[in-house]
């Protein structure tokens, strides 16, 4: 997997990703499998930190289910996605306090400080320019408002280590990232190196990118991710911009809570809450 930095070629990747999401029926079918159970932890996380009556912007909401669930919990919600294709069925659920809008998180068409909560689930890893997206989130959230980010910690050494253990025990590997013992071990070394560099050697965010795999027959498993999502980057970025970190990680279940509290940067999943 090729590491890259944001360059002029990133603009080409951005356009390729936009075209892929706007036209991929196979990716839409993958999203169709994401039901209320799939989004429950994410929605519960947002509800936990969203005051009653909040106006919420749910970014990259895909098939729109998460935005609908937040609306059903009593919030005024706008769900967005870059793909009109993904939001086609979701628009049937619109009401006075639930709207859907097609837009790019890198160029959000909303006024400054217009939302109480800005949130996203499994979006950040798909962005070819994370810094611009985070600045947009900060711009549109109100003072004292919250940003809630949820998604896979693609840079966690723990995930490929668990992949390697499963494979050593004769079990199936994880598509894209850990399909063989060799691939899982290489990913472990890559992620461990990233963790050490970011944790010990850098004090400012260093967003590292990869070339997304945009096959006609989408395979899922974050093959289409463009950013080696890492909570250390996000914490450093928000601190640099004067944003208070409320939670570096929020775990679910006993094991999840232990990892989130003791090893927040190693948790396989990013569940971060910050306040403007």
């Amino acid at each position: 997997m090729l590491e890259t930095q944001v360059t002029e070629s990133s603009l080409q990747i951005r356009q390729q990703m936009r075209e892929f999401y706007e036209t991929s029926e196979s990716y839409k079918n993958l999203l169709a499998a994401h039901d209320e159970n799939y989004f429950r932890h994410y929605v519960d996380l947002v509800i936990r930190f969203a005051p009653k009556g909040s106006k919420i912007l749910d970014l990259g909401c895909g098939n729109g289910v998460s935005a609908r669930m937040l609306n059903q919990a009593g919030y005024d919600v706008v769900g967005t996605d870059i793909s009109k294709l993904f939001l086609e069925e979701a628009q049937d659920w619109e009401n006075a306090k639930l709207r859907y809008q097609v837009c790019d998180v890198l160029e959000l068409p909303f006024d400054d400080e217009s939302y109480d909560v800005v949130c996203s689930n499994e979006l950040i890893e798909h962005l070819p320019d994370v810094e611009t997206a985070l600045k947009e989130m900060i711009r549109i959230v109100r003072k004292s408002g919250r940003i809630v980010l949820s998604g896979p910690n693609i840079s966690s050494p723990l995930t490929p280590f668990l992949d390697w253990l499963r494979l050593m025990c004769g079990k199936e590997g994880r598509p894209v990232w850990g399909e063989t013992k060799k691939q899982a071990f290489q990913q472990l070394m890559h992620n461990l190196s990233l963790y050490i560099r970011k944790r010990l050697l850098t004090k400012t965010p260093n967003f590292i990118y990869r070339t997304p795999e945009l096959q006609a027959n989408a395979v899922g498993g974050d093959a289409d991710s463009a950013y080696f999502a890492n909570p250390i980057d996000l914490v450093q970025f928000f601190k640099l911009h004067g944003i208070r970190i409320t939670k570096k990680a929020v775990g679910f279940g006993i094991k999840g809570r232990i990892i989130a509290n003791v090893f927040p940067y190693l948790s396989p999943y990013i569940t971060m809450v910050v306040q403007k």
Side-chain angles (χ1 to χ4, degrees):
M1 284 163 283
L2 179 65
E3 288 187 10
T4 63
Q5 299 293 330
V6 173
T7 63
E8 192 171 327
S9 64
S10 300
L11 298 177
Q12 296 177 344
I13 292 175
R14 176 180 173 183
Q15 183 59 33
Q16 290 168 1
M17 295 183 76
R18 176 191 287 272
E19 292 173 358
F20 174 73
Y21 294 132
E22 287 177 341
T23 60
S24 178
E25 290 285 350
S26 62
Y27 201 89
K28 180 183 179 181
N29 290 336
L30 290 175
L31 294 181
H34 295 177
D35 58 11
E36 291 192 1
N37 287 332
Y38 184 90
F39 290 109
R40 177 51 58 193
H41 284 327
Y42 165 62
V43 171
D44 286 348
L45 174 66
V46 176
I47 291 173
R48 178 175 170 182
F49 291 95
K52 185 177 180 181
S54 292
K55 185 177 180 182
I56 296 177
L57 181 64
D58 187 14
L59 297 171
C61 68
N63 62 10
V65 172
S66 58
R68 183 187 65 184
M69 292 171 69
L70 288 168
N71 172 246
Q72 290 172 338
Y75 296 102
D76 186 349
V77 184
V78 173
T80 79
D81 200 273
I82 198 171
S83 175
K84 180 179 179 181
L85 178 67
F86 298 164
L87 289 174
E88 280 180 341
E89 287 80 11
Q91 290 174 339
D92 293 338
W93 304 327
E94 289 187 325
N95 58 58
K97 290 192 174 183
L98 174 62
R99 285 88 58 209
Y100 291 99
Q101 185 164 343
V102 177
C103 63
D104 189 338
V105 68
L106 301 180
E107 301 176 273
L108 292 171
F110 304 110
D111 293 336
D112 295 355
E113 301 185 357
S114 52
Y115 287 88
D116 301 298
V117 176
V118 176
C119 56
S120 72
N121 181 60
E122 299 183 1
L123 167 68
I124 199 80
E125 70 274 15
H126 300 289
L127 299 177
D129 183 355
V130 177
E131 183 174 3
T132 296
L134 295 178
K135 287 180 178 178
E136 280 289 87
M137 295 180 197
I138 293 172
R139 178 182 67 80
I140 61 176
V141 74
R142 291 173 178 153
K143 290 180 181 179
S144 299
R146 292 186 171 98
I147 298 172
V148 181
L149 300 177
S150 176
N153 180 1
I154 292 179
S155 295
S156 171
L158 183 57
T159 305
F161 175 69
L162 295 175
D163 290 339
W164 182 79
L165 281 182
R166 281 194 298 270
L167 288 160
M168 291 297 289
C169 293
K171 298 179 181 179
E172 289 188 7
R174 184 167 54 107
V176 182
W177 306 92
E179 297 177 347
T180 66
K181 285 179 275 191
K182 179 180 178 180
Q183 187 185 39
F185 184 78
Q186 289 175 336
Q187 192 65 45
L188 170 60
M189 292 297 101
H190 175 270
N191 286 11
L192 189 60
S193 174
L194 277 184
Y195 175 78
I196 293 171
R197 283 153 50 190
K198 291 176 179 294
R199 192 79 174 95
L200 303 178
L201 303 178
T202 62
K203 299 298 181 183
T204 57
N206 178 26
F207 301 108
I208 297 176
Y209 298 87
R210 65 185 292 271
T211 302
E213 302 166 42
L214 306 175
Q215 302 99 325
N217 183 23
V219 297
D222 290 316
D224 58 316
S225 61
Y227 164 51
F228 283 105
N230 189 298
I232 300 173
D233 291 336
L234 302 177
V235 167
Q236 290 174 336
F237 178 89
F238 285 124
K239 286 184 176 179
L240 192 64
H241 288 78
I243 305 299
R244 184 168 69 88
I245 311 298
T246 302
K247 287 285 185 180
K248 292 180 181 177
V250 180
F252 297 94
I254 296 175
K255 291 181 180 178
R257 286 194 292 269
I258 291 173
I259 293 175
N261 289 328
V262 181
F263 306 108
Y265 295 138
L266 294 178
S267 176
Y269 218 73
I270 295 170
T271 46
M272 185 173 296
V273 182
V274 303
Q275 188 168 11
K276 187 172 179 179

